[in-house]
Structure formats: C-alpha cells, structure tokens
Amino acid sequence: MPLDGARLSGDRLEVPYAKSQVRKAPHVDVDDDLSPGQEEELYRYYGRAAGNDRPAGDTDRNTDTTSDTVTDAGRDDTRDRSGDNAMTRSEERLVADTRTERAGTARLRKYVVTEEQQVTVPVTREEVTLDREPITDANAGNALDGPAITESEHEVTLHAERPVVDTEAVPVERVRLGKQTVTDEETVSGEVRKEQIDLDGPEDRNRSNR
C-alpha cells in the first residue's frame, strides 16, 4: 500500500486505510519485488497517483480510518496488543455431547398358535374268564337243580373305558414391558480449525510453531 500518511506507533504501523479495504486490495506476493504494473495497480486501487503523496481522486473515501491497525500484509492483529511481543495461538477442540432421540417403539402382542400334545391316560376294560370248579357238597344242590340234559345260554356284559380328550384354559405366566438403560461407546469425528504461527526473518524465513 502507499505509505504516505502512515506513521509508526511502537511496533505497529498505522495507515489511513480501513482494514476491509486492505483485505480487498490486489494480491501481491510479499516475497517478490513490485513490478511497475503492480505498483500502478495498487496506487490506482488506493486512489492515489503513482509517485504522488496526494489522493488522485475523491479525498473522502478513506476518512475516519486512521485508527485501524494493519500489519503483515493486511492481517488483523488487534487481539494481540498486550505489549509483551507475543501472539496467542488458538485452536478448536471437538466437544462431544449426547441428545435423547426416539429410537422406536415396542409393544406386547398376544396371538394363538396350535400345537400337538400327547398325554397318557390309564383306562380299564373287562375281559371274560372261564372258571371251572368241581362238584362238591357245597355246590351240588345248584348243580342238580334243573333237567339232567339240556341246552342253555348265559351271557355277561363286558365294559371298557375309552380316553376322552378335552381342553381347558389355565394361566401360566404374566408378561409385561419394561425398559433398561444400556451404555455403549460410539466414535464421532468432525473438522476443527487451529491457528499456526510462522516466523519470517532474515535468517530463518519459514520457521513455524504449531
């Protein structure tokens, strides 16, 4: 930038241009010398004629800006004015937290299924037996009662049990919904910014402190 109107205050160079105006100035590599064309472009941008200490155009365009401090090719160092010749280097850190979101719902649903079961049931039945007994004094009367020779029949009714299957509903258990908290670990990532401080000097131009 043109240095007419600039003054040195301690270690700061105060110029009559706004910070925003300096930031938008045509870019020039600080390691190279100005070419005549670049010099003319800068003079034109700041409204001054090349080699002239007076504004070439409107003199009101840069008023009320003498209090701005611009150093190191337009970098704003207003936050490092503690007077101890030190810069504060800051960086961002990831701060992780949690929030509770609805993850879903659960419900109890009862339905009927049919399955095959087997049970063992004891059953009884009657079987016919044939008992023979000799004639004795005790049964002789019954044996001789009736014709001596005759034909006759005698029958016995037999009974048997058959299994009968039926069902009944019986309560077996109670089921209810409950909730429990389970803690897991998840890894999250994000982008953070950090400041870097470079030292430009005659012996070591690009030594950095990170």
Side-chain angles (χ1 to χ4, degrees):
M1 68 185 67
L3 294 181
D4 52 294
R7 66 186 182 90
L8 191 62
S9 176
D11 61 348
R12 299 192 302 271
L13 180 65
E14 297 182 356
V15 296
Y17 304 108
K19 290 190 293 293
S20 59
Q21 184 181 8
V22 175
R23 291 192 187 100
K24 297 177 182 179
H27 176 72
V28 177
D29 194 341
V30 296
D31 294 330
D32 297 334
D33 294 332
L34 283 176
S35 66
Q38 291 173 328
E39 183 177 358
E40 180 67 27
E41 184 181 10
L42 286 172
Y43 273 115
R44 226 176 13 251
Y45 173 78
Y46 287 103
R48 298 180 180 274
N52 191 351
D53 291 339
R54 297 185 182 86
D58 187 1
T59 58
D60 294 333
R61 63 181 294 181
N62 296 318
T63 59
D64 300 330
T65 61
T66 55
S67 63
D68 292 328
T69 300
V70 180
T71 63
D72 191 13
R75 186 179 299 164
D76 185 6
D77 291 330
T78 56
R79 66 176 182 174
D80 297 310
R81 293 181 178 178
S82 59
D84 59 356
N85 295 327
M87 285 184 177
T88 300
R89 189 179 72 85
S90 303
E91 64 184 32
E92 295 178 338
R93 301 284 175 87
L94 285 182
V95 179
D97 201 355
T98 61
R99 67 171 180 267
T100 302
E101 297 180 346
R102 181 174 178 176
T105 58
R107 64 174 59 89
L108 284 178
R109 184 170 61 90
K110 185 168 65 172
Y111 57 96
V112 178
V113 296
T114 301
E115 63 181 12
E116 189 77 17
Q117 287 188 351
Q118 292 182 348
V119 292
T120 301
V121 181
V123 295
T124 61
R125 70 177 184 275
E126 295 177 338
E127 295 182 348
V128 65
T129 62
L130 185 62
D131 296 330
R132 299 174 182 272
E133 58 184 25
I135 300 299
T136 63
D137 292 338
N139 59 13
N142 293 330
L144 297 175
D145 185 19
I149 302 298
T150 185
E151 293 183 358
S152 66
E153 291 182 357
H154 187 74
E155 65 178 23
V156 175
T157 302
L158 302 176
H159 298 84
E161 293 181 339
R162 297 286 184 263
V164 178
V165 177
D166 200 357
T167 60
E168 63 176 350
V170 293
V172 292
E173 65 178 350
R174 297 280 294 169
V175 180
R176 64 171 53 89
L177 284 177
K179 294 192 300 183
Q180 65 178 357
T181 300
V182 180
T183 301
D184 294 328
E185 289 186 355
E186 293 186 4
T187 302
V188 296
S189 61
E191 294 183 351
V192 296
R193 298 177 302 167
K194 65 179 180 180
E195 297 175 335
Q196 297 179 352
I197 299 176
D198 293 335
L199 171 63
D200 292 334
E203 296 180 356
D204 189 355
R205 299 182 57 86
N206 293 315
R207 187 171 60 192
S208 62
N209 177 19
R210 301 182 178 179

